[in-house]
Amino acid sequence: MSAENRGLMVRRTERREISLPAQVCVAPQHATAVRLSRGSGHREGWLDAGIVDLSSRGVGLVTEVFLPRGSRVRVRVLEVATEGEPGVLAECVGRVARVSMTDRRPGYMLGLALTDVSPDQSAKLDELIERFADAPAEGAVDA
């Protein structure tokens, strides 16, 4: 590692800018450490969120509920539904790598590093990423 790259977070894969509905909940291994209040608006532990970027190794999403850095979460990528309950396009587990407040509504941008991705989940994510092949990509840097 060169001296100028020490301490820098470097993405190793391209993320596709997208806009898809999602749901996020605290993963079972952190359910006792991170508890959602009744006022958080969750349904059976699931919070509404919006995915803003996606790669094979990470997800960027926006939610109105703060989730602490380092916590493990489950994410469902949902279909855009005009009526009825939306279908689940993919589901995965990630670790909250970064959190920033986006505005005072409140809104939080979460950067998730995907963990424990099964081959089936990986295939579904790759299929989603392929759907958005024409979407703008955020630059990737090989470290």
Side-chain angles (χ1 to χ4, degrees):
M1 175 185 280
S2 68
E4 68 255 9
N5 287 336
R6 279 194 202 124
L8 293 179
M9 288 180 47
V10 180
R11 284 196 178 135
R12 296 175 190 263
T13 58
E14 282 186 351
R15 288 192 177 200
R16 295 288 171 189
E17 291 180 12
I18 63 171
S19 179
L20 283 174
Q23 293 176 323
V24 62
C25 75
V26 177
Q29 60 264 46
H30 284 175
T32 58
V34 180
R35 293 184 184 241
L36 301 175
S37 72
R38 290 184 187 180
S40 66
H42 70 86
R43 285 173 279 155
E44 299 175 4
W46 291 95
L47 301 165
D48 290 329
I51 294 181
V52 296
D53 64 61
L54 178 67
S55 79
S56 60
R57 290 186 170 178
V59 177
L61 58 92
V62 175
T63 182
E64 292 182 356
V65 176
F66 175 82
L67 293 168
R69 213 171 128 229
S71 59
R72 302 271 179 191
V73 296
R74 290 174 50 205
V75 177
R76 289 179 179 161
V77 182
L78 304 176
E79 293 176 323
V80 177
T82 55
E83 55 186 66
E85 288 294 314
V88 177
L89 298 172
E91 189 168 329
C92 51
V93 175
R95 177 184 47 79
V96 178
R98 63 188 192 304
V99 181
S100 59
M101 191 172 195
T102 60
D103 53 54
R104 61 183 176 180
R105 74 184 134 141
Y108 300 95
M109 175 67 157
L110 305 178
L112 307 179
L114 298 181
T115 60
D116 306 322
V117 179
S118 72
D120 183 50
Q121 291 168 326
S122 182
K124 286 182 181 179
L125 289 171
D126 287 343
E127 181 181 314
L128 272 175
I129 292 166
E130 185 62 31
R131 278 194 201 177
F132 296 97
D134 294 333
E138 294 181 23
V141 178
D142 289 327

